[in-house]
Amino acid sequence: MAERSFADEVQQLRHGAGTTLHVEGILAVTKALLQSGVAYVGGYQGAPISHLMDVLGDAREILQELDVYFENSASEATAAAMLAASVHYPLRGAITFKSTVGLNVASDGLANLASGGVTGGALVILGEDYGEGSSIMQERSHAFAMKSQMWLLDPRPGITAIVDAVEAGFELSEASNTPVMLQLRLRSCHLTGAFTAKDNVRPAMTIKDAIENPKRDLSRIVLPPASFLHEQEKINARRPAAVEFIREHGMNEVFADGAADVGIIVQGGLYNTLNRALELLGCSDAFGNTKIPLYVMNVTYPVVDSEVLDFCEDKRAVLMVEEGQPDYIEQNLHTILRRAGAQTPLHGKDMLPAGGEYTAAAVTRGLSAFLGRYLPDIVEGAPALLLPEDDPGSPFAPRVEPKAVHARPPGLCTGCPERPIFSALKLAEREIGKQHHISADIGCHLFSINEPFNLGATTMGYGLGSAGAAALNSADADRRTIAVMGDGGFWHNGLTSGVGNAVFNETDQLLLIVDNEYSAATGGQDVLSSTADNPIRSTKHPIEKAVRGVGAKWVKTVTNTYKVGELRDLFVNALTSEERGPKVIVAQSECQLNRQRRVRPETSKKIKEGRRVVRQRYGVDADTCTGDHACIRVSGCPSLTIKPNPDPMRTDPVATVIDSCVGCGVCGANAHAASLCPSFYRTDVVINETWRDRALAKVRNAWIQMLTAPVERRAAKFEVA
């Protein structure tokens, strides 16, 4: 089950022309697709665009009514290859995934698509995952657009602008026979706003029509000599057609032209941030009434030379606000200006940060430097971030000594079934007496590289955990390497590039596949091995069966990862076995977040109905705890922390379990498996207890009082003495 349902929100997609819809960004994208007459949609989930796949899944009835085909693609490469349907047929198709990792995976398919070109509109909707909130390497989609000559849209963050960009993207694609990329930044995906809807449009040609009327155009197939002609077509036909369309339809925007003799050129996705910076300096307001001329590039590739020259013609200086590195657009603008003989000074990375996210603070500092040099009189505001903090007279000077904020690295959730896996692996290494090279992978399990586990040396990409250790394969070594991948990565790429490769090359490696029944890190979407019933997808295909199907022989499946001792022993066996070749352990337990989403409503319903409910909680006996905190070092659970020692004769704080505990039992299992201490206990909290529960409680209390009575009497005598 996905972490969020859009079953109610998607009903707004049925509204027709003239209706004002108040929706989230990803819902607006879906409505724009339907208004554009899209024939098919696919993609792969992944933040920040992951919920778009969930919206489309929840809207399947509406899609079916319009004869729109939708599928959850096995990978970004699969999604990219889907767009081949638009090569010969006038079918509008859209795919979606996060970038830039998604583009890396999809590059082969998209490069071939861009070479042959398209007949129907082809749109690639990208979640531009860049900046401090990113979960990937810091790269941009812009390079891929330039490499393959695909047009890149970067619309202003606003619901209407996003809807317009989707609709114009299809038209631009068809006008230039070129696939178009539409990038949506994190805040654009999830901002809310209003736009005026149009009627949904049934595709002029459906998938069924295309199947029943096959077409073939040899010039569109990527094979020499046609591929040589494709390059010339891009330069001589497609790009000029795209530039003409962008100009005629005013896809880029100019604001307050002539208001000053300096100007700013900005990527569309950064418009809101730039306007906020201008507002802080007193050069604009919250509604975008700027005093500085702006050229907003809602299309960042291709750059329209004539528009740039027109904007810069009467300017003493221009600032290019381009987020990230390298400075692709700034270099392009320099080329345009110098080739045309324009002498307008162009600034960019010399005044703004060379890399990193362009926050309002970063843009304000760079903008202040630019305006301070060329137009100082227009600046009316002086935000705190521009005032010297070491000035005692400044109202923004610090009043106390700043204290360092402790780093808070990402970690596994409370009750996560992956935590006991890595606890068991640490315990296994301790028992064997050897440390191992561990090749990590993309997913929640990558958090094991942090404290307290400190496991993992590299991560090469989704499903590439096993391949990342492929070179470290020696028959003479005194230990094996270990690789990790999740169930999502396994089905995405790992079955062939990992398990198949290890079997083929007889790699003597231990591969740990973490199977928590969902593609958990992206929001809890089902995968092939999910055990839940899915009305529109085929599930319940065991990973072990697939692994054995490609030739692996040493394969073990653990169905309860919370049994730390048993899992530790299995790791020891796999790492010390005399048998050569890959060894695969499938560690299987349901993602705790998804389990809680499923169980909590059921539990709440039972409580309201007066039915008996038992909740397990764990605790630590403060009198028994020695305060060595070994339990915390081998677990790292957020619910396991420390508190002051109740014994006045001891100063070391003792371990304690706080109320966020979900009763998974990992802390107690770790204590038992590692022979740490007997201080952990389990408590069963009974809600809506029965007469039997009350009677049993009375018997237990009486028995406890009888056993503790001698101790209490001796304590009383000691106090009197």
Side-chain angles (χ1 to χ4, degrees):
M1 60 181 293
E3 66 181 18
R4 180 181 171 189
S5 171
F6 292 87
D8 295 331
E9 290 96 324
V10 296
Q11 298 308 314
Q12 296 189 67
L13 300 176
R14 297 183 183 277
H15 288 294
T19 307
T20 300
L21 300 184
H22 297 267
V23 294
E24 191 175 349
I26 51 177
L27 209 70
V29 170
T30 308
K31 177 60 174 169
L33 292 173
L34 300 181
Q35 293 176 174
S36 301
V38 71
Y40 63 96
V41 188
Y44 193 82
Q45 63 273 359
I49 205 73
S50 56
H51 285 318
L52 180 55
M53 295 298 293
D54 299 330
V55 169
L56 290 164
D58 288 336
R60 62 184 178 275
E61 291 183 5
I62 301 173
L63 299 180
Q64 289 169 357
E65 292 169 8
L66 294 168
D67 287 324
V68 178
Y69 175 72
F70 167 68
E71 80 169 29
N72 287 84
S73 306
S75 70
E76 297 88 347
T78 308
M82 279 185 72
L83 292 175
S86 295
V87 171
H88 299 304
Y89 307 99
L91 296 168
R92 287 188 168 182
I95 60 170
T96 181
F97 42 74
K98 82 186 281 184
S99 61
T100 56
V101 288
L103 286 172
N104 293 340
V105 176
S107 60
D108 201 11
L110 290 178
N112 279 276
L113 183 75
S115 182
V118 294
T119 302
L123 192 65
V124 183
I125 303 170
L126 302 170
E128 188 74 352
D129 197 11
Y130 181 83
E132 291 188 7
S134 169
S135 61
I136 61 167
M137 76 294 290
Q138 294 299 275
E139 294 184 357
R140 299 165 58 194
S141 304
H142 200 97
F144 193 95
M146 294 192 300
K147 176 189 77 70
S148 293
Q149 294 288 286
M150 295 174 62
W151 317 140
L152 179 61
L153 310 186
D154 188 6
R156 284 192 293 122
I159 296 298
T160 299
I162 290 172
V163 171
D164 291 344
V166 172
E167 295 175 345
F170 281 119
E171 296 173 4
L172 173 61
S173 176
E174 290 166 347
S176 60
N177 301 116
T178 303
V180 171
M181 298 194 296
L182 168 65
Q183 67 177 30
L184 296 174
R185 295 150 195 270
L186 176 63
R187 295 170 182 83
S188 297
C189 292
H190 303 293
L191 61 81
T192 56
F195 75 101
T196 303
K198 300 176 185 175
D199 290 332
N200 293 334
V201 177
R202 187 177 183 273
M205 172 181 273
T206 65
I207 295 296
K208 178 177 178 293
D209 296 332
I211 294 172
E212 295 175 350
N213 298 277
K215 292 183 180 180
R216 179 172 175 270
D217 182 354
L218 192 61
S219 68
R220 293 291 183 198
I221 301 175
V222 185
L223 179 71
S227 54
F228 305 138
L229 299 176
H230 294 162
E231 182 183 28
Q232 296 303 316
E233 183 183 346
K234 288 179 180 180
I235 299 169
N236 300 321
R238 298 187 204 169
R239 185 184 179 104
V243 169
E244 185 64 22
F245 182 92
I246 295 165
R247 268 191 72 91
E248 286 186 358
H249 292 78
M251 295 184 69
N252 296 317
E253 301 170 283
V254 176
F255 297 106
D257 197 20
D261 61 356
V262 299
I264 302 172
I265 301 176
V266 61
Q267 293 168 282
L270 292 179
Y271 170 80
N272 288 5
T273 303
L274 172 63
N275 189 70
R276 176 56 178 161
L278 288 168
E279 186 183 0
L280 289 172
L281 295 173
C283 299
S284 185
D285 60 20
F287 302 99
N289 296 310
T290 174
K291 299 176 183 178
I292 309 294
L294 306 180
Y295 175 55
V296 181
M297 300 178 69
N298 295 314
V299 183
T300 52
Y301 189 80
V303 177
V304 182
D305 297 17
S306 59
E307 290 184 350
V308 172
L309 292 171
D310 288 345
F311 181 76
C312 296
E313 184 178 14
D314 58 349
K315 306 293 190 299
R316 286 191 297 121
V318 172
L319 176 68
M320 175 68 229
V321 182
E322 176 185 10
E323 184 176 54
Q325 51 80 37
D327 52 349
Y328 300 119
I329 303 176
E330 186 178 341
Q331 292 181 41
N332 199 338
L333 296 187
H334 274 295
T335 300
I336 293 169
L337 292 171
R338 304 317 159 217
R339 279 182 179 173
Q343 299 303 312
T344 307
L346 177 67
H347 297 278
K349 299 297 184 184
D350 56 334
M351 292 186 172
L352 288 156
E357 184 177 359
Y358 274 13
T359 61
V363 175
T364 302
R365 290 190 181 98
L367 188 57
S368 176
F370 174 73
L371 294 178
R373 179 171 176 179
Y374 289 102
L375 207 63
D377 294 340
I378 202 170
V379 177
E380 297 179 359
L385 57 90
L386 299 178
L387 294 178
E389 292 188 348
D390 55 355
D391 179 6
S394 169
F396 304 102
R399 296 291 179 259
V400 296
E401 287 294 323
K403 295 182 179 179
V405 177
H406 288 291
R408 186 185 181 188
L412 300 169
C413 302
T414 301
C416 177
E418 299 183 18
R419 176 172 287 104
I421 296 174
F422 299 111
S423 295
L425 187 53
K426 280 179 68 89
L427 296 175
E429 284 194 320
R430 188 182 73 175
E431 183 168 326
I432 296 171
K434 297 176 182 177
Q435 288 188 327
H436 298 74
H437 176 89
I438 300 178
S439 176
D441 206 326
I442 304 299
C444 297
H445 40 83
L446 186 56
F447 298 151
S448 64
I449 66 173
N450 295 321
E451 294 283 1
F453 305 113
N454 298 314
L455 299 171
T458 56
T459 174
M460 290 291 104
Y462 201 30
L464 294 177
S466 177
L472 302 175
N473 181 33
S474 171
D476 299 326
D478 67 347
R479 69 197 73 186
R480 296 185 167 98
T481 58
I482 302 172
V484 182
M485 71 173 68
D487 46 357
F490 172 81
W491 292 115
H492 178 276
N493 195 12
L495 177 58
T496 53
S497 67
V499 181
N501 183 72
V503 171
F504 183 66
N505 291 290
E506 298 182 336
T507 305
D508 192 31
Q509 173 193 92
L510 168 58
L511 171 60
L512 166 65
I513 302 176
V514 180
D515 179 8
N516 48 29
E517 300 190 15
Y518 311 93
S519 184
T522 62
Q525 294 84 4
D526 282 327
V527 292
L528 272 165
S529 52
S530 296
T531 59
D533 291 319
N534 191 311
I536 62 171
R537 301 285 178 260
S538 178
T539 54
K540 303 181 181 179
H541 302 284
I543 289 177
E544 179 174 342
K545 195 172 182 180
V547 169
R548 290 188 182 279
V550 296
K553 294 181 172 54
W554 198 108
V555 187
K556 310 289 183 184
T557 296
V558 177
T559 58
N560 185 354
T561 63
Y562 296 102
K563 295 182 178 180
V564 178
E566 295 180 12
L567 192 53
R568 173 205 57 201
D569 294 342
L570 184 57
F571 280 137
V572 171
N573 181 14
L575 292 170
T576 58
S577 170
E578 294 297 325
E579 184 178 341
R580 304 294 297 179
K583 293 152 194 66
V584 182
I585 295 177
V586 183
Q588 189 179 66
S589 275
E590 184 180 10
C591 167
Q592 188 64 226
L593 277 180
N594 268 36
R595 181 180 180 277
Q596 291 300 321
R597 293 187 192 105
R598 179 172 52 81
V599 170
R600 279 177 179 170
E602 298 173 0
T603 303
S604 298
K605 183 180 179 182
K606 288 180 181 179
I607 293 174
K608 289 180 180 178
E609 293 174 350
R611 295 157 65 187
R612 182 177 183 270
V613 172
V614 179
R615 286 177 172 165
Q616 293 182 344
R617 291 291 182 269
Y618 285 78
V620 177
D621 184 354
D623 293 330
T624 307
C625 178
T626 62
D628 68 348
H629 310 144
C631 53
I632 296 175
R633 290 194 294 274
V634 80
S635 173
C637 177
S639 296
L640 188 59
T641 183
I642 57 175
K643 70 176 183 180
N645 200 314
D647 188 342
M649 302 299 291
R650 294 188 293 166
T651 58
D652 292 334
V654 295
T656 187
V657 180
I658 59 179
D659 291 340
S660 60
C661 171
V662 297
C664 70
V666 168
C667 51
N670 279 336
H672 179 71
S675 302
L676 295 174
C677 70
S679 59
F680 284 89
Y681 63 85
R682 192 189 80 186
T683 300
D684 291 343
V685 181
V686 181
I687 303 172
N688 296 327
E689 71 276 8
T690 64
W691 65 267
R692 185 173 182 178
D693 292 319
R694 290 190 289 269
L696 186 59
K698 289 181 180 179
V699 172
R700 285 172 174 164
N701 288 335
W703 182 250
I704 291 172
Q705 289 176 3
M706 183 183 71
L707 292 176
T708 58
V711 177
E712 297 293 338
R713 286 196 296 269
R714 286 196 298 271
K717 290 180 181 179
F718 179 76
E719 289 177 1
V720 172

